[in-house]
């Protein structure tokens, strides 16, 4: 709805089918794939494909950023570590984020649309502002994403060079954690993920439409893609900086195997002391995270919106 600041851009400003039929032929059979997926199913598919594309492009950057978050080193040292690991290890740990991100982004967009629809139907006539309803839907979708924490857990262990000799691949890491430590070990680092996902989803879906409205009006498919890239990229970069300390805490907590589960606050204080009580050191790697998030969420948002139009 045009009055809602929480609607997805595709639902808020639907694009005419004519934009996809230049040259006399459609890019996809009109309504064919959409009919198979259903009105809601396409949001899951588009989100998943968008995330898949993003991970393939940005994974090496993510590995550099992870080393900075974990060890507090400069980007140049993190790159040297990857060079020492060798080219065959550059994409080591790719499968967990590929599975995790393609699934969580599908859940993020799909469940947001589903929760919004259900909650708006139930709240009809109650006088509850639509902004509040959609914010709650976004928070619920973000919380549901945390169910896939084990993928982030395995990704952390496979990217940490200190565990290269212990864990061989994704399946071996899962098997080792489950057989030696149990399911609970797979969810180490759950609290910072929950604290990150809900609020970031609320802000992302709440600001996506208003930011795009401030951009120059697009008159072509390429123009819409650029606007969607800029909108998603700016939001992703800003949220990446805002929640960066939680990602540092998550990386530190998940790099541990076995032992006591430390509260989120204790992990943060440990990192704070180790880095000399310096905010600059705590945010080491944030500049690279900014650029990675700018690229990642630009790709995800632009690809998602393009696929919605094509389907």
């Amino acid at each position: 709805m045009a009055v809602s600041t929480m609607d997805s851009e595709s639902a808020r400003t639907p694009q005419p089918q004519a934009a996809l039929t230049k040259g006399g032929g459609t890019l996809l059979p009109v309504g064919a794939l959409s009919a198979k997926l259903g009105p809601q199913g396409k949001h899951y598919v588009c989100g998943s494909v968008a995330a898949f594309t993003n991970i393939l492009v940005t994974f090496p950057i993510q590995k550099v950023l992870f080393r900075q978050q974990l060890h507090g080193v400069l980007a140049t040292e993190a790159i040297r570590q990857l060079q020492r690991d060798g080219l065959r290890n550059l994409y080591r740990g790719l499968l967990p984020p590929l599975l995790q991100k393609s699934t969580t982004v599908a859940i993020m967009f799909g469940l947001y649309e589903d929760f919004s629809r259900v909650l708006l139907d139930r709240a009809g006539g109650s006088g509850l502002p639509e902004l509040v309803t959609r914010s709650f839907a976004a928070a619920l979708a973000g919380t549901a994403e945390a169910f896939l924490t084990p993928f982030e857990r395995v990704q952390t262990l496979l990217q940490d060079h200190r565990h290269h000799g212990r864990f061989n691949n994704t399946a071996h890491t899962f098997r080792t954690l489950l057989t030696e430590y149990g399911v609970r070990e797979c969810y180490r680092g759950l609290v910072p993920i929950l604290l990150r996902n809900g609020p970031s989803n609320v802000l992302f879906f709440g600001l996506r439409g208003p930011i795009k409205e401030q951009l120059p009006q697009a008159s072509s498919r390429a123009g819409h893609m650029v606007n969607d890239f800029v909108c998603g990229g700016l939001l992703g970069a800003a949220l990446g900086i805002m929640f960066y300390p939680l990602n540092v805490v998550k990386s530190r907590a998940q790099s541990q195997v076995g032992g006591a589960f430390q509260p989120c606050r204790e992990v943060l204080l440990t990192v704070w002391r180790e880095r000399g009580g310096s905010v600059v050191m705590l945010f080491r790697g944030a500049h690279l995270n900014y650029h990675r998030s700018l690229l990642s969420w630009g790709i995800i948002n632009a690809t998602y919106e393009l696929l919605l139009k094509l389907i």
Side-chain angles (χ1 to χ4, degrees), residues 1-5 7 11-12 213:
M1 295 176 62
V3 297
S4 170
T5 59
D7 264 331
R12 195 177 52 79
E213 287 177 349

Side-chain angles (χ1 to χ4, degrees), residues 246-264:
L246 284 174
N247 280 324
V248 172
V249 171
K250 178 197 75 76
S251 294
R252 171 58 68 89
Q254 292 187 333
S255 66
Q256 177 184 338
V257 180
F261 279 64
Q262 292 183 310
C264 190

Side-chain angles (χ1 to χ4, degrees), residues 63 67 79-92 164:
K63 291 201 78 167
R67 296 291 175 89
I79 292 172
R80 278 196 290 268
Q81 287 182 9
L82 294 180
Q83 288 174 333
R84 288 194 293 269
D85 291 343
L87 186 61
R88 68 186 297 269
N89 284 318
L90 181 60
Y91 274 86
R92 174 185 166 91
H164 279 187

Side-chain angles (χ1 to χ4, degrees), residues 202-215:
V202 172
L203 292 172
F204 181 82
F205 286 112
L207 297 175
R208 195 163 60 124
I211 288 178
K212 188 172 181 180
E213 287 177 349
Q214 302 305 311
L215 299 175

Side-chain angles (χ1 to χ4, degrees), residues 99-116:
L99 295 174
Q100 182 259 345
K101 200 67 176 178
S102 61
T103 306
T104 56
V105 174
I107 289 173
M108 172 183 167
F109 284 106
L111 282 186
Y112 168 70
E113 294 293 337
D114 285 345
F115 282 139
S116 293

